[in-house]
Amino acid sequence: MSLLQVKNLVVEFPTRRGTLRALDDISFEIAPGEILGVVGESGAGKSLTGAAIIGLLEPPGRVAGGEIVLEGQRIDNLGYEQMRHIRGRRIGAIFQDPLTSLNPLYTVGRQLVETIRTHLPVSHAEARQRAIDLLKDTGIPAAEQRIDHYPHQFSGGMRQRVVIALALAAEPKLIVADEPTTALDVSIQAQIIQLLKRLCRERGAAVMLITHDMGVIAETCDRVAVLYAGRVAEIGPVREVIHQPAHPYTGGLMASIPDMDSDRERLHQIDGAMPRLNAIPPGCAYNPRCLRVFERCLQERPELLPAGATMAACWLHDAADPHRGHAALLAQHERALAHGERAAPDAAQALPEVQP
Amino acid sequence: MNAAVMPNAEAASAAAGDAPLVVAHDLAKTFDVSAPWLNRVLERKPRTLLHAVDGVSFEIERGKTLALVGESGCGKSTVARLLVGLYEPTRGGMHFDGQDAQAAYRSSSGRQLRRRIQMIFQDPYASLNPRWLVEDIIAEPLHEHGILSGKDAMRERVGELLRSVGLSPLDMAKYPHQFSGGQRQRISIARALATAPEFLVCDEPTSALDVSVQAQVLNIMKDLQRERGLTYLFISHNLAVVRHVSDQVGVMYLGRLVERADKAELFARPRHPYTRMLLDAIPQMHAVGRARTPVQGEVPNPLNPPSGCAFHPRCPHANARCSAERPALLQLSGVRVACHAVEEGRI
Amino acid sequence: MKTTLARWFDSDVGYSFRTSPMAIAAAVIAFVCVFSSVFAGWVAPHNPFDLASLDLMDARLPPAWMEGGSTKYLLGTDDQGRDILSAVIYGARISLIVGVVSVLLSVVVGVLLGLLAGFWGGWLDAFLMRLCDVVLSFPAILVALLIAGVGRALFPNAHESLAFGVLIIAIALTGWVQYARTVRGSTLVERSKEYVQAARVMGVPPLRIMLRHVLPNVLGPVLVLATIQVATAIITEATLSFLGVGVPPTSPSLGTLINNGNAVLFSGEWWVLVFPGAMLVLLALSVNLLGDWLRDALNPRLR
């Protein structure tokens, strides 16, 4: 049984110029103990997904459709008090900026003990001991003294470790981590990612890792969901999504990331930009930028279809569609671009391009 | 047309001969971050000095790109600002095309120099004045240096510049907030190119951009370099991007240059322990599931740097000499490294 | 002009205005007051300063709806036969002129000093901020009284307009501090932004950076403060005139009228005091409400 199920989630923002759909029919699952990466560019809606799950959507944003089910219980329609009990106890959260995630006026120990005692029926002394153990576990030296220090007395990396300790304090089953390493130096990033992986495996906690950094995803996650304009473009095991992307956007994204192994003259670029929320085209949201667009893409919005080892929201993978065979050619074309080679000659003549 | 015609690659290298365009020698910048005078007197605190940059030297040849990499607090942004004249160095200086830049900045010949050196900043949202039209933003350097006169000539030139970065001339009638981050960064590039500079200092120009937008901007920058023979100083913390754009790479740590080498050499055979650890610490997209060996410790407080070699507390090869004596940047088989262990042949 | 007006109307600020009944009401009232003050010659039924038109027989008449009143003098007359309605309209004009001009003066002085302090830093900044502290430690009325008193002592036979000038300067001199402080804070923020650094790299001289780049970006809060301060300035002027050290008695402002009305209040002629007082309240209130709305409308977080 899956730990978290998100079914057809819709998040809307009513504005004076009309209602904006920031998340449009998003569905995915997280199994217990699994690490799911949610990747996408700015505006794709990945932070909003995390916020909706934790129940911290900023008004006027609201969940306008679909369900979020945690361990069999619906949590998107709970009141504030009920959600408060779930937050911390069953879902932990790690945010991007360790500076603002901790209250600067209270010691680290006080914040940890407060979280532990809110959710677990333990005495103050026992909570304090747990807090010290947690700090030790997250690699903070001299935990017995540092537990009484204030956040400003820790460095950036240390603070993020404290935040991780805080998230794990009440032993939740799911951790939502929103860009946990983006604000840190590269060398510290490696430490924090390792720490997160180890602690979650040890405690059997599942992680929803939201980031824009594909390298972190590659290293950490079991599965990954690629978001585009508030929709899921592709979802599947991490190795397959990176090396054999089935959705043209994923392919373009992978090809445009400079990587350490190859030396290319030009990076592959996807022309254009992600559409703004009030200007999403009908049909598939990616159709203005897609190299393999055809008429159906302009009219019908694709559902997630099985495409090899992953699921992709692309009509190229519809078994019944005559255009299907070209998905393979497209994937080949993208891979070739990723390695700086000239595109496979067949790919150029594959389809009559639809001129929008 | 006047001297605003862009020099292309051949003309540039033919004119210059082989001398490097930019020569930085022993650049240093110290900031006084002491508490206010009254506090210092009452609490008997000493003066606190921050050695943001502590003796950095390098050369950049015409038409090439030197990348400076390092983590936070290493001083790379300060080096950028020293080169364009936003800060005055405490020690050392830069020579541009044979001319002493610092002296020029202080005198009236600074204006000429500022036409030839321009800068691109990191934050696309703060680098354009939100109350100005794009046309005025790009035309400002033209006004300032008296390059063109007449509204029509200016408009035409602004349109040309916009086209050269992949935007439409119609965009000049809009405000910055109507553009996305990547487009704003392109407007910044267009503004920097207005005076037909030879040298562009780029301070993390793509760090705030999404990956696919980054690719567009990096491609434009490379195209422009090829067409116009531009020289770049590219500052970044992203080694993968650096690998894509640079010809030479310099690695900085706590205000000092620890290694400088040609790109291929640095990535294939990193010498300095910090460079090795940095390369090892990068998440590799194509090596799925590979565990990295994380770097030990954290970057120390720049206000209180370690004695001797700044990296020695985190270095697995440190010995007694490393904590006592600061290593000099030595040339070893085509690469410059500041490391006792490398010098002594221990690693 | 039409397109900028249309664009403003459709913007967030314009939308906020259209949907806020209080802002619209305040704007209407303020507009009516300003309009009648500017065109007082046409709006007011009589000219209270024309001594020839006064008729002592019409003195002390109550308002038109009361017994003994006459429709010729809608709000009654004072002890010299002056029409209260006209006096109030002309008086509002004086109050508005003094209020607006003194605020304009404080804005110019305050913004300039704030820009200099924020941009230059160092000893100039420290000096100006200490100056602000010193000025703030004096109560505004006291300073105004002092300056007005000194002015009269220095120029005892001065022309009336000098009295106006002294009054305006007195009010302006205490009001500039809040602009200086706000602008200094905003300047410090903007100065570290990259578009300012880009201008410096370009070689733009500091003065031009200050005026063309930084100034447009720091004026937002100034607008709000100025609107609210017009109300304060009007009331300060009224207080000073009430005390007798404000406008010269030949051009009575609302404060002077209130003073006159005060004297005859207990002899039963309440209308001489109440109507000027009501006008003062209306004017100050509407301007204040407009300022409040503007502050909320310009606050990005509340939108």
Side-chain angles (χ1 to χ4, degrees):
Chain A
M1 188 191 72
S2 56
L3 177 67
L4 179 78
Q5 280 175 306
V6 174
K7 298 183 201 168
N8 309 106
L9 183 64
V10 174
V11 169
E12 285 180 345
F13 279 84
T15 68
R16 67 179 177 98
R17 290 195 182 102
T19 306
L20 296 176
R21 272 206 168 180
L23 290 181
D24 197 353
D25 202 357
I26 296 219
S27 305
F28 59 85
E29 291 186 4
I30 305 184
E34 169 182 48
I35 306 186
L36 173 76
V38 176
V39 77
E41 300 184 300
S42 332
K46 46 191 199 301
S47 290
L48 273 178
T49 311
I53 291 174
I54 314 179
L56 287 178
L57 270 180
E58 287 242 354
R62 58 199 180 89
V63 173
E67 295 183 355
I68 304 176
V69 180
L70 179 69
E71 284 178 316
Q73 180 199 4
R74 244 189 102 167
I75 59 171
D76 57 288
N77 55 358
L78 293 181
Y80 182 79
E81 267 305 303
Q82 293 159 301
M83 202 56 209
R84 197 172 67 80
H85 285 293
I86 297 202
R87 237 178 271 137
R89 179 73 186 91
R90 294 163 68 194
I91 306 182
I94 300 173
F95 296 107
Q96 175 173 347
D97 189 353
L99 196 53
T100 50
S101 303
L102 295 171
N103 189 332
L105 295 177
Y106 296 131
T107 64
V108 151
R110 179 162 166 179
Q111 297 184 51
L112 278 167
V113 165
E114 180 186 44
T115 308
I116 294 173
R117 295 196 73 201
T118 308
H119 296 286
L120 298 173
V122 293
S123 68
H124 183 94
E126 204 184 317
R128 193 184 155 86
Q129 187 53 49
R130 275 187 191 233
I132 294 180
D133 292 335
L134 264 172
L135 286 180
K136 282 198 191 143
D137 227 356
T138 52
I140 295 189
E144 292 90 0
Q145 283 88 46
R146 300 216 77 177
I147 192 172
D148 291 318
H149 283 189
Y150 289 88
H152 70 261
Q153 293 170 281
F154 290 82
S155 69
M158 288 286 155
R159 263 195 289 256
Q160 198 65 314
R161 288 173 197 259
V162 172
V163 170
I164 293 177
L166 209 50
L168 290 167
E171 295 165 7
K173 285 278 158 249
L174 172 68
I175 303 247
V176 175
D178 191 350
E179 309 261 18
T181 58
T182 307
L184 304 172
D185 283 327
V186 144
S187 54
I188 312 293
Q189 266 190 31
Q191 298 174 15
I192 298 295
I193 290 290
Q194 289 261 341
L195 179 67
L196 198 57
K197 266 178 91 164
R198 176 175 65 84
L199 287 176
C200 291
R201 292 239 191 271
E202 277 173 17
R203 284 150 208 261
V207 181
M208 180 173 151
L209 181 60
I210 300 171
T211 179
H212 64 272
D213 187 342
M214 277 312 298
V216 167
I217 298 269
E219 184 180 317
T220 332
C221 305
D222 304 313
R223 287 165 61 232
V224 63
V226 179
L227 294 187
Y228 185 78
R231 305 160 184 198
V232 176
E234 188 162 355
I235 181 168
V238 103
R239 190 180 296 270
E240 273 72 31
V241 170
I242 291 182
H243 291 288
Q244 282 152 24
H247 193 288
Y249 172 64
T250 319
L253 203 61
M254 298 304 141
S256 59
I257 297 175
D259 73 279
M260 299 295 296
D261 297 326
S262 64
D263 236 337
R264 292 178 267 166
E265 182 52 35
R266 277 181 79 89
L267 290 169
H268 170 69
Q269 65 182 60
I270 315 176
D271 291 325
M274 193 180 312
R276 296 201 170 176
L277 286 180
N278 54 2
I280 296 185
C284 173
Y286 189 61
N287 71 49
R289 308 166 78 188
C290 187
L291 297 173
R292 289 290 165 247
V293 63
F294 52 97
E295 317 85 66
R296 193 175 181 195
C297 309
L298 304 174
Q299 288 143 13
E300 284 174 67
R301 183 188 151 171
E303 313 124 23
L304 276 174
L305 300 165
T310 67
M311 306 263 291
C314 178
W315 291 127
L316 286 171
H317 294 281
D318 188 353
D321 200 292
H323 293 98
R324 184 186 184 196
H326 301 288
L329 274 172
L330 173 69
Q332 203 183 11
H333 173 80
E334 305 284 3
R335 257 203 309 285
L337 288 171
H339 292 285
E341 300 150 23
R342 289 183 51 235
D346 325 34
Q349 309 148 3
L351 279 174
E353 302 266 25
V354 175
Q355 297 303 319
Chain B
M1 272 237 291
N2 55 14
V5 175
M6 280 75 82
N8 62 17
E10 296 111 46
S13 49
D18 279 341
L21 182 64
V22 178
V23 179
H25 177 69
D26 197 31
L27 270 179
K29 178 69 185 165
T30 307
F31 291 105
D32 187 346
V33 292
S34 323
W37 175 81
L38 205 60
N39 295 56
R40 261 189 291 138
V41 164
L42 293 177
E43 297 166 23
R44 268 179 267 271
K45 278 194 189 148
R47 284 195 98 97
T48 359
L49 296 173
L50 175 63
H51 300 282
V53 179
D54 197 358
V56 167
S57 311
F58 54 82
E59 301 105 37
I60 317 180
E61 286 172 33
R62 209 175 279 266
K64 300 272 192 235
T65 303
L66 169 70
L68 277 183
V69 291
E71 299 175 292
S72 53
C74 70
K76 50 195 198 296
S77 286
T78 313
V79 168
R81 283 164 171 73
L82 284 170
L83 291 186
V84 294
L86 281 176
Y87 293 150
E88 268 217 28
T90 331
R91 200 171 77 228
M94 169 185 86
H95 281 259
F96 184 78
D97 204 10
Q99 185 193 11
D100 183 344
Q102 265 62 42
Y105 283 134
R106 259 178 262 128
S107 74
S108 56
S109 46
R111 282 185 79 80
Q112 265 304 310
L113 196 59
R114 288 185 196 277
R115 279 175 73 156
R116 306 168 72 187
I117 304 183
Q118 276 297 320
M119 185 157 172
I120 301 175
F121 298 88
Q122 175 177 359
D123 186 348
Y125 297 91
S127 50
L128 303 175
N129 191 330
R131 307 248 173 206
W132 283 30
L133 285 171
V134 166
E135 179 188 348
D136 297 322
I137 292 176
I138 299 183
E140 188 183 12
L142 299 172
H143 280 289
E144 191 52 42
H145 293 278
I147 295 179
L148 289 174
S149 55
K151 200 141 175 130
D152 294 319
M154 292 273 195
R155 275 234 171 103
E156 203 187 305
R157 181 58 182 274
V158 170
E160 253 174 60
L161 286 164
L162 280 170
R163 245 179 275 123
S164 68
V165 294
L167 292 169
S168 141
L170 296 171
D171 288 331
M172 73 169 91
K174 298 189 192 163
Y175 284 95
H177 69 260
Q178 296 171 270
F179 293 93
S180 69
Q183 290 169 318
R184 278 189 230 207
Q185 205 64 319
R186 288 197 245 173
I187 296 173
S188 290
I189 296 176
R191 173 179 63 187
L193 292 175
T195 60
E198 295 155 54
F199 180 40
L200 276 185
V201 176
C202 313
D203 189 359
E204 309 241 26
T206 56
S207 304
L209 303 176
D210 283 323
V211 151
S212 59
V213 178
Q214 174 179 270
Q216 295 174 357
V217 173
L218 288 177
N219 282 341
I220 288 176
M221 289 179 71
K222 278 189 108 171
D223 290 340
L224 288 167
Q225 180 177 40
R226 211 186 6 241
E227 287 163 24
R228 299 170 190 222
L230 292 171
T231 310
Y232 286 144
L233 175 70
F234 196 96
I235 310 242
S236 180
H237 63 272
N238 185 335
L239 277 160
V241 168
V242 160
R243 193 196 169 122
H244 178 67
V245 296
S246 62
D247 298 302
Q248 274 215 331
V249 181
V251 180
M252 287 189 66
Y253 188 76
L254 272 191
R256 306 169 190 180
L257 205 54
V258 297
E259 184 165 354
R260 183 159 68 94
D262 284 338
K263 165 180 72 179
E265 186 66 27
L266 189 112
F267 282 98
R269 264 177 302 275
R271 309 284 208 277
H272 196 282
Y274 177 60
T275 316
R276 293 186 187 184
M277 287 186 172
L278 211 55
L279 284 169
D280 234 8
I282 306 168
Q284 296 274 41
M285 196 179 79
H286 293 285
V288 175
R290 186 196 85 166
R292 299 179 254 173
T293 29
V295 187
Q296 298 309 312
E298 296 197 13
V299 181
N301 187 350
L303 287 172
N304 200 3
S307 57
C309 171
F311 190 60
H312 84 255
R314 300 167 82 185
C315 183
H317 307 283
N319 64 9
R321 185 183 175 203
C322 299
S323 52
E325 192 190 318
R326 176 182 161 170
L329 195 67
L330 300 168
Q331 180 136 9
L332 292 135
S333 51
V335 165
R336 280 173 223 266
V337 193
C339 179
H340 294 305
V342 172
E343 185 196 338
E344 293 160 8
R346 280 191 281 129
I347 44 169
Chain C
M1 180 65 196
K2 200 153 180 212
T3 42
T4 31
L5 209 61
R7 197 151 41 106
W8 178 85
F9 206 59
D10 198 38
S11 74
D12 284 327
V13 172
Y15 177 77
S16 165
F17 181 73
R18 275 184 283 152
T19 51
S20 166
M22 197 161 72
I24 296 181
V28 164
I29 294 176
F31 178 71
V32 164
C33 294
V34 170
F35 183 82
S36 55
S37 308
V38 167
F39 298 106
W42 287 272
V43 173
H46 307 262
N47 183 345
F49 307 123
D50 184 3
L51 295 171
S53 68
L54 291 182
D55 188 354
L56 266 179
M57 292 303 291
D58 291 328
R60 297 205 179 92
L61 287 177
W65 60 84
M66 287 179 59
E67 189 192 313
S70 130
T71 48
K72 189 168 165 212
Y73 304 105
L74 275 173
L75 295 181
T77 58
D78 70 350
D79 60 347
Q80 301 223 334
R82 273 190 283 254
D83 176 30
I84 296 294
L85 177 60
S86 311
V88 162
I89 291 176
Y90 276 89
R93 174 206 261 187
I94 307 276
S95 297
L96 265 175
I97 292 177
V98 172
V100 168
V101 173
S102 62
V103 166
L104 274 174
L105 198 59
S106 356
V107 165
V108 166
V109 170
V111 167
L112 222 62
L113 290 181
L115 268 179
L116 279 174
F119 216 70
W120 239 265
W123 64 267
L124 184 64
D125 180 19
F127 170 70
L128 284 173
M129 286 305 108
R130 297 295 84 75
L131 186 64
C132 286
D133 292 336
V134 168
V135 171
L136 272 183
S137 57
F138 288 99
I141 300 285
L142 220 57
V143 172
L145 266 173
L146 196 71
I147 296 179
V150 166
R152 274 162 209 270
L154 284 178
F155 310 107
N157 302 313
H159 195 253
E160 302 196 339
S161 46
L162 203 63
F164 268 108
V166 168
L167 178 64
I168 289 176
I169 290 179
I171 301 179
L173 232 49
T174 48
W176 65 268
V177 173
Q178 51 180 332
Y179 305 112
R181 282 212 166 146
T182 316
V183 167
R184 172 189 175 262
S186 306
T187 307
L188 284 176
V189 169
E190 298 297 313
R191 193 179 70 164
S192 58
K193 288 214 176 132
E194 279 146 355
Y195 68 84
V196 170
Q197 297 189 352
R200 285 175 63 198
V201 172
M202 244 182 264
V204 180
L207 192 67
R208 208 177 304 178
I209 297 182
M210 210 169 76
L211 292 176
R212 294 203 65 214
H213 277 283
V214 178
L215 184 59
N217 284 299
V218 301
L219 280 183
V222 169
L223 195 59
V224 177
L225 281 175
T227 314
I228 296 182
Q229 217 204 11
V230 167
T232 317
I234 292 175
I235 294 181
T236 309
E237 178 276 319
T239 313
L240 289 174
S241 305
F242 181 85
L243 292 173
V245 294
V247 294
T250 45
S251 349
S253 73
L254 293 174
T256 325
L257 294 174
I258 294 175
N259 191 9
N260 294 343
N262 198 24
V264 297
L265 179 64
F266 289 106
S267 54
E269 292 152 33
W270 53 270
W271 54 91
V272 188
L273 169 69
V274 166
F275 293 120
M279 181 60 153
L280 183 66
V281 167
L282 213 60
L283 203 57
L285 190 64
S286 61
V287 171
N288 228 324
L289 286 176
L290 265 180
D292 265 349
W293 159 77
L294 195 64
R295 185 188 52 221
D296 288 345
L298 290 178
N299 185 346
R301 226 161 293 177
L302 285 181
R303 268 190 253 162

